[in-house]
Amino acid sequence: MQSKRKAAFTLAEVLVTLAIIGVIAALTIPSLLNNINNSQHVAALQKSYSTLSQATQLIMKDNAGSVKGLCDSNPCLKDIFQNYMIGVKSCDVVGASGECWHKSNEWFYLNGKPAPGSYSYHSSLIGNDGSIIVFLNNDQNCSISMENISLPIVCGRIRVDTNGFKSPNTVGRDIFDFYLLENKIVPRGGENDSSICDSTNGWGCAAKVLSEGAMNY
């Protein structure tokens, strides 16, 4: 009687199969991880925007419907927002880069170039999620002329790194700007703002991400 032989893969066939799987994994896993990271950054931006918007609304409610005239300095504005935000703490390290914001050239534009400047001066809040919120360009009369924006009622600017000192520390990924108006905050890159979301620096990406719910760039 003829014996029956069980079919089996040869060693060469197994090695070829593993090599194909390895190539496919190498091509797909980085893209998958990048999509996951981007989704996390989008969610963090949405959370920061919601938190700041709610705080702004509460501040307005207690001040005749406007933030105009409340503060004449960045630290004052920081203190007011702190009173209306849960779980944040003040970062009051004067002149110490790397504690209240990134050291100069240790945060980056969207094109990968290092960004100069740090903001370590009595105007930062640290969220319980590690986010950093910096208050800039406060104008008590809400008449400041900001670069790239034509709105005549800008009261200041709020800069956020949604995950603090964790990477990528990049404008348009985890670092975004908002403009503080008399009665709301608006993401940079929106209406009446010529900042655009491109590969140059990423400053105009906040409005695009919030509008689309994704990082389509």
Side-chain angles (χ1 to χ4, degrees), residues 38-59:
N38 284 347
S39 296
Q40 292 174 339
H41 293 321
V42 171
L45 172 61
Q46 292 170 335
K47 178 183 176 183
S48 293
Y49 182 46
S50 175
T51 300
L52 289 168
S53 294
Q54 290 175 24
T56 303
Q57 293 301 312
L58 291 172
I59 293 169

Side-chain angles (χ1 to χ4, degrees), residues 12-80:
E13 289 172 330
V14 171
L15 292 175
V16 169
T17 301
L18 291 175
I20 293 173
I21 293 173
V23 170
I24 294 173
L27 292 174
T28 59
I29 289 178
S31 177
L32 177 61
L33 292 176
N34 185 62
N35 289 337
I36 292 173
N37 287 335
N38 284 347
S39 296
Q40 292 174 339
H41 293 321
V42 171
L45 172 61
Q46 292 170 335
K47 178 183 176 183
S48 293
Y49 182 46
S50 175
T51 300
L52 289 168
S53 294
Q54 290 175 24
T56 303
Q57 293 301 312
L58 291 172
I59 293 169
M60 288 166 43
K61 182 180 178 181
D62 290 341
N63 293 279
S66 175
V67 300
K68 186 175 181 179
L70 292 182
C71 281
D72 59 359
S73 68
N74 297 323
C76 169
L77 193 61
K78 179 263 298 182
D79 290 340
I80 286 180

Side-chain angles (χ1 to χ4, degrees), residues 2-182:
Q2 187 176 4
S3 62
K4 295 182 179 180
R5 299 180 61 185
K6 293 183 179 180
F9 292 110
T10 66
L11 177 60
E13 289 172 330
V14 171
L15 292 175
V16 169
T17 301
L18 291 175
I20 293 173
I21 293 173
V23 170
I24 294 173
L27 292 174
T28 59
I29 289 178
S31 177
L32 177 61
L33 292 176
N34 185 62
N35 289 337
I36 292 173
N37 287 335
N38 284 347
S39 296
Q40 292 174 339
H41 293 321
V42 171
L45 172 61
Q46 292 170 335
K47 178 183 176 183
S48 293
Y49 182 46
S50 175
T51 300
L52 289 168
S53 294
Q54 290 175 24
T56 303
Q57 293 301 312
L58 291 172
I59 293 169
M60 288 166 43
K61 182 180 178 181
D62 290 341
N63 293 279
S66 175
V67 300
K68 186 175 181 179
L70 292 182
C71 281
D72 59 359
S73 68
N74 297 323
C76 169
L77 193 61
K78 179 263 298 182
D79 290 340
I80 286 180
F81 268 84
Q82 184 177 7
N83 292 332
Y84 291 87
M85 299 174 69
I86 299 174
V88 296
K89 61 181 180 180
S90 179
C91 187
D92 296 329
V93 183
V94 180
S97 297
E99 297 196 44
C100 297
W101 188 255
H102 308 286
K103 292 181 179 179
S104 182
N105 297 316
E106 291 188 2
W107 55 297
F108 307 92
Y109 296 126
L110 198 55
N111 59 12
K113 293 184 178 180
S118 64
Y119 307 102
S120 306
Y121 48 81
H122 280 293
S123 57
S124 301
L125 294 175
I126 308 297
N128 56 11
D129 57 358
S131 60
I132 307 174
I133 307 165
V134 183
F135 297 86
L136 306 165
N137 307 110
N138 171 256
D139 179 22
Q140 190 172 21
N141 297 316
C142 294
S143 60
I144 192 171
S145 177
M146 303 293 289
E147 72 273 22
N148 304 318
I149 192 165
S150 60
L151 289 169
I153 51 175
V154 177
C155 308
R157 179 164 53 190
I158 302 174
R159 178 161 295 167
V160 179
D161 187 322
T162 59
N163 62 357
F165 291 104
K166 294 181 180 179
S167 62
N169 300 325
T170 298
V171 179
R173 294 297 179 191
D174 56 349
I175 297 176
F176 299 93
D177 266 8
F178 301 94
Y179 292 114
L180 177 64
L181 309 185
E182 286 190 34

